[in-house]
């Protein structure tokens, strides 16, 4: 294995490793524009120049392979001067848009200029004019004047999405990124070009001018759009209070996980977060002749517990059915199974909605199952489909039906719900099922609580709380704890981690950064 020295630090690397990769292994960051670890090497921006001992010219670290005995300087005077020269060339025709650019605050051109730049421009001629901000797809806006021709976006559409919408047109200083004739950037992964653009050339239509990035905070989470379980970061504004029509979550971005989604995420997950702040069930409700009406938690929980207790006392455990949701976390599903099956002895337990439409699927990331935790629920014991249970509730054989999250919108399900004796709904957003319920318990979305999901291959991954529960809603685990107390079956789960420990016999800190498979055992046993 080659041994090289970077800025006085030695590192052993595998054959074929580039200098920029070796530097990252040491925690040394070399500025770059065109280089991205998930794309082929273009070597076009020349920003990653480094000085290599005994080589007369500076070398681009993204392409230069490490050779045994190399001595490399990433911060030498010669390397810094080379980067300054490249920045001067890049800025010759770049517009002075920083105060009004939506990328300001997370722009690499801006950041590297502050670190390396020449502060007195020598360019006095007129800048070349190109097309300003215009939509090239449903989610992406292109500003050709801000583009530095790193070609990350074109390589993404060629190598990752393989949809070939973008290319480099014209030559020399007239070169531009643009759409091929007759094309629009509307592939299922178009939002990734926004992430990888190092400047303000490609921006998100839905996010533009909604919030300056220095007001944003972020928290690690998992996408709930399908069973892939892409690792994401929730970007939210902690100073913005919820109001009708507004939103606390501003955008979602992918996080790197080599076992699940690499650096990418699909547009369905990226832009499908409106449910977090829209059409929410903000507080408990009790059914009436005029539909569900607001109630306090004491009254709603008392009504739910009384209905369950009465049905069990008069007709036995088989008279109460529970339909859990694969949108719930492992911790919530485990606590619900503990309460309803192990403590109350219920046997009519279901998970999946057989009428739920499958989503699109491809070979990159998208899975047809639109739920993040079906595999986790089934591993805990929630294995049945909901259709038979709904029919029994409609016919009166099941007296109380407890439904988590599901929206049953087909005619057969609605008829069964309307005929059911007593329906309890615990969920986050208003839908047809919630509107037919006798008791509605306002739950929190995944962004408002801690927990884990298990994706389609059974990989357990953690998500973290970013927001406080909206208005008077509560996390499902808190609701289950309160309900269990009223039923005389206290669960004693004080938080999500205590449930995770009861399920897996391990703590969150022992969960690998990239998750672990259901079949794997922790050091303390599972």
């Amino acid at each position: 294995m080659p041994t090289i020295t970077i800025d006085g630090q030695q590192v052993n690397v595998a054959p074929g490793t580039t200098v920029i990769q070796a530097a990252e292994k040491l925690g040394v960051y070399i500025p770059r524009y065109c280089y991205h670890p998930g794309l082929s090497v273009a070597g076009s921006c020349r920003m990653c120049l480094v000085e290599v001992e005994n080589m007369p010219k500076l070398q681009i670290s993204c392409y230069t392979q490490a050779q045994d005995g190399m001595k490399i300087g990433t911060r030498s005077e010669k390397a810094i001067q080379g980067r300054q020269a490249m920045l001067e060339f890049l800025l010759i025709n770049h517009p002075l848009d920083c105060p009004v650019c939506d990328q300001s605050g997370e722009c690499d051109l801006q950041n590297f200029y502050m670190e390396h730049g020449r502060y007195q421009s020598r360019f006095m001629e007129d800048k070349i004019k190109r097309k300003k901000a215009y939509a090239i797809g449903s989610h992406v806006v292109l500003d050709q004047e801000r583009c530095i021709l790193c070609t990350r976006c074109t390589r993404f559409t060629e190598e990752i999405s393989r949809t070939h919408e973008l290319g480099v047109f014209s030559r020399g200083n007239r070169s531009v990124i643009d759409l091929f004739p007759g094309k629009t950037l509307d592939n299922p992964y178009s939002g990734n070009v926004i992430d990888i653009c190092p400047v303000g050339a490609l921006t998100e239509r839905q996010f533009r001018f909604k919030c300056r990035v220095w007001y944003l905070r972020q928290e690690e989470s998992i996408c709930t759009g399908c069973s892939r379980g892409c690792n994401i970061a929730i970007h939210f504004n902690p100073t913005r209070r919820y109001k009708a029509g507004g939103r606390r979550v501003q955008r979602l971005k992918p996080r790197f996980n080599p076992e699940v989604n690499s650096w990418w995420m699909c547009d369905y997950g990226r832009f499908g977060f409106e449910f977090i702040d829209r059409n929410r069930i903000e507080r408990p409700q009790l059914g009436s002749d005029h539909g569900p009406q607001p109630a306090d938690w004491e009254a709603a929980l008392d009504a739910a517990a009384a209905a369950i207790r009465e049905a069990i006392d008069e007709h036995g455990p088989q008279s109460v059915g529970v339909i859990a949701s694969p949108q719930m976390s492992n911790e919530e599903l485990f606590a619900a199974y503990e309460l309803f099956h192990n403590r109350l002895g219920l046997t009519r337990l279901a998970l999946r909605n057989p009428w739920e439409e499958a989503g699109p699927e491809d070979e990159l990331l998208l899975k047809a199952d639109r739920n993040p935790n079906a595999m986790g629920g089934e591993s805990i014991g929630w294995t049945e489909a909901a259709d038979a249970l709904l029919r029994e509730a409609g016919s009166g054989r099941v007296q109380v039906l407890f439904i988590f999250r599901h929206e049953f919108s087909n005619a057969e399900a609605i008829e069964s719900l309307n005929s059911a004796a007593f329906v309890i709904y615990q969920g986050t957003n208003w839908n047809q099922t919630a509107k037919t319920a006798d008791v509605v318990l306002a739950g929190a979305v995944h962004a408002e609580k801690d927990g884990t999901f298990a994706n389609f291959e059974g990989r357990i991954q953690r998500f973290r709380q970013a927001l406080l529960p909206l208005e008077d809603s509560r996390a499902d685990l808190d609701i289950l704890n309160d309900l269990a107390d009223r039923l005389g079956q206290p669960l004693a789960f004080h938080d999500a981690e205590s449930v995770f420990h009861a399920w897996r016999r391990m703590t969150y800190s022992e969960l690998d950064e990239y998750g672990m498979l259901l079949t794997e055992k922790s050091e303390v046993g599972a």
Side-chain angles (χ1 to χ4, degrees):
M1 293 177 64
T3 300
I4 65 174
T5 303
I6 300 177
D7 294 343
Q9 302 180 72
Q10 280 196 348
V11 60
N12 297 321
V13 295
T17 301
T18 60
V19 170
I20 201 169
Q21 292 169 332
E24 288 180 344
K25 191 174 180 181
L26 285 172
V28 176
Y29 183 81
I30 300 175
R32 77 289 301 267
Y33 290 122
C34 66
Y35 172 75
H36 188 282
L39 303 171
S40 62
V41 174
S44 60
C45 75
R46 325 301 287 184
M47 191 62 194
C48 64
L49 291 168
V50 295
E51 184 175 9
V52 182
E53 189 178 81
N54 298 324
M55 287 190 178
K57 295 183 179 180
L58 295 174
Q59 303 297 310
I60 53 172
S61 59
C62 67
Y63 191 80
T64 304
Q65 293 190 2
Q67 303 295 325
D68 193 50
M70 265 186 175
K71 293 185 178 180
I72 299 159
T74 71
R75 303 288 300 176
S76 68
E77 182 178 355
K78 189 175 180 180
I80 296 296
Q81 288 177 348
R83 291 181 203 142
Q84 289 175 332
M86 292 313 305
L87 276 170
E88 186 174 18
F89 280 120
L90 290 172
L91 290 166
I92 281 176
N93 286 303
H94 198 83
L96 299 177
D97 277 354
C98 289
V100 296
C101 178
D102 206 44
Q103 189 80 359
S104 186
E106 53 185 0
C107 171
D108 285 342
L109 188 62
Q110 190 180 69
N111 295 338
F112 295 155
Y113 177 78
M114 297 303 294
E115 184 178 352
H116 296 89
R118 296 175 181 271
Y119 292 93
Q120 296 296 323
S121 175
R122 295 182 292 179
F123 185 77
M124 304 302 294
E125 289 75 19
D126 290 336
K127 294 176 182 286
I128 294 175
K129 304 299 180 184
R130 298 184 173 92
K131 287 192 286 186
K132 292 297 286 180
Y134 66 102
I136 58 174
S138 301
H139 304 297
V140 184
V141 171
L142 171 62
D143 189 319
Q144 290 181 341
E145 285 189 352
R146 296 175 184 167
C147 178
I148 60 171
L149 294 170
C150 70
T151 70
R152 283 185 180 184
C153 57
T154 64
R155 282 176 284 149
F156 179 85
T157 60
E158 291 168 4
E159 302 166 9
I160 307 301
S161 69
R162 299 183 181 180
T163 48
H164 308 280
E165 296 98 341
L166 297 173
V168 181
F169 296 86
S170 297
R171 301 179 68 182
N173 67 348
R174 300 286 174 176
S175 296
V176 293
I177 298 290
D178 209 343
L179 292 165
F180 282 105
K183 294 270 192 177
T184 56
L185 188 64
D186 278 327
N187 70 71
Y189 299 93
S190 67
N192 290 285
V193 302
I194 302 166
D195 301 332
I196 61 178
C197 180
V199 294
L202 296 169
T203 51
E204 181 184 322
R205 293 181 70 177
Q206 288 80 356
F207 177 71
R208 281 171 62 85
F209 309 116
K210 294 294 190 300
C211 182
R212 282 297 194 182
V213 298
W214 44 81
Y215 294 133
L216 293 177
R217 299 293 181 269
Q218 58 180 291
E219 190 55 85
E220 295 179 355
S221 191
I222 302 297
C223 178
T224 60
C226 78
S227 61
R228 170 68 63 177
C230 291
N231 289 219
I232 63 169
I234 297 176
H235 289 204
F236 62 99
N237 184 350
T239 65
R240 183 166 296 179
R241 294 184 179 275
Y242 171 78
K243 61 181 180 180
R247 66 183 192 185
R248 299 166 296 168
V249 175
Q250 298 297 310
R251 63 184 183 182
L252 305 183
K253 292 284 188 179
R255 288 186 297 119
F256 175 68
N257 187 324
E259 304 296 334
V260 180
N261 58 302
S262 296
W263 295 269
W264 324 117
M265 71 181 296
C266 75
D267 287 356
Y268 299 100
R270 182 189 298 270
F271 301 109
F273 62 86
E274 294 292 333
F275 71 94
I276 293 176
D277 287 318
R278 301 286 171 84
N279 195 35
R280 286 288 300 277
I281 302 173
E282 298 178 9
R283 52 189 51 83
Q285 310 269 325
L286 289 176
S288 72
D289 294 337
H290 304 288
Q293 299 296 314
D296 59 41
W297 275 104
E298 295 294 320
L301 288 166
D302 286 345
I308 294 171
R309 191 185 307 109
E310 182 179 340
I312 293 175
D313 290 344
E314 294 185 6
H315 305 283
Q318 71 278 4
S319 65
V320 179
V322 181
I323 304 176
S325 169
Q327 292 283 330
M328 297 165 66
S329 69
N330 289 311
E331 291 77 4
E332 292 160 350
L333 288 166
F334 183 87
Y337 194 82
E338 175 69 18
L339 171 61
F340 293 120
H341 180 71
N342 294 343
R343 302 290 184 86
L344 297 177
L346 307 187
T347 58
R348 305 312 316 277
L349 307 177
L351 181 72
R352 286 185 177 271
N353 175 4
W355 298 290
E356 186 176 51
E357 292 185 10
E361 183 167 340
D362 59 31
E363 296 180 356
L364 183 54
L365 294 178
L366 274 169
K367 304 300 291 183
D369 181 3
R370 310 310 283 170
N371 297 294
N373 201 34
M375 184 68 75
E378 290 170 1
S379 73
I380 290 168
W382 300 90
T383 57
E384 300 298 323
D387 49 347
L389 189 50
L390 277 168
R391 294 188 192 103
E392 292 189 31
S395 65
R397 288 196 295 273
V398 169
Q399 298 294 309
V400 175
L401 190 58
F402 198 127
I403 302 173
F404 290 87
R405 299 287 190 93
H406 286 286
E407 178 175 13
F408 297 108
S409 56
N410 62 304
E412 181 184 358
I414 292 173
E415 182 180 356
S416 295
L417 287 171
N418 288 331
S419 303
F422 199 92
V423 176
I424 303 167
Y425 182 80
Q426 184 168 318
T428 60
N429 297 79
W430 284 109
N431 57 39
Q432 188 64 36
T433 310
K435 292 174 182 178
T436 63
D438 299 283
V439 177
V440 178
L441 304 176
V445 297
H446 71 289
E448 299 167 341
K449 56 193 177 185
D450 292 319
T452 59
F453 294 133
N455 72 355
F456 74 101
E457 62 178 357
R459 182 171 296 277
I460 305 169
Q461 302 181 102
R462 187 182 174 193
F463 59 89
R464 293 171 170 82
Q465 181 178 2
L467 308 166
L468 292 174
L470 185 64
E471 299 297 331
D472 202 21
S473 62
R474 295 182 182 178
D476 288 344
L477 184 59
D478 294 336
I479 300 172
L480 286 168
N481 269 323
D482 288 343
L483 184 63
D485 290 342
R486 283 168 169 77
L487 292 169
Q489 301 290 340
L491 295 175
F493 293 137
H494 56 275
D495 59 15
E497 188 167 15
S498 65
V499 188
F500 185 74
H501 186 272
W503 177 44
R504 299 294 298 176
R505 296 294 185 267
M506 62 187 297
T507 63
Y508 282 152
S509 62
E510 295 172 289
L511 189 62
D512 186 81
E513 177 185 3
Y514 300 131
M516 64 178 292
L517 295 176
L518 284 164
T519 53
E520 294 178 7
K521 303 289 185 181
S522 69
E523 292 182 2
V524 293

